[in-house]
Amino acid sequence: MSKITTYFKDVQNELVNKTSWPSWSELTNSAIVVMIASVIIAGIVFAMDYSFDNILDWVYKRLY
């Protein structure tokens, strides 16, 4: 039981004293970058899906 207690004390010490937490502005900027990157990647995936759908539709109409 003492090992578990020591473990949690070490975890608390690590989180309180040794971890560097980002400031609110750094956190906000990072969140904005992630949202913009997600929208760009979603747009790329949508464009690829739409183009492949149209290309395959055209190919199937030619074959059948």
Side-chain angles (χ1 to χ4, degrees):
M1 188 68 174
S2 70
K3 287 184 177 184
I4 294 173
T5 307
T6 304
Y7 171 75
F8 282 112
K9 285 181 182 179
D10 288 342
V11 168
Q12 180 190 16
N13 182 37
E14 183 86 24
L15 289 174
V16 172
N17 298 322
K18 296 180 182 178
T19 303
S20 64
W21 297 97
S23 67
W24 185 253
S25 64
E26 290 173 336
L27 194 62
T28 305
N29 289 338
S30 296
I32 290 171
V33 168
V34 168
M35 286 188 279
I36 291 172
S38 297
V39 168
I40 291 171
I41 291 170
I44 291 170
V45 170
F46 173 76
M48 290 172 57
D49 182 51
Y50 184 76
S51 62
F52 288 145
D53 183 46
N54 286 334
I55 290 169
L56 288 176
D57 200 29
W58 179 79
V59 168
Y60 290 149
K61 284 181 183 176
R62 295 283 183 219
L63 292 176
Y64 299 108

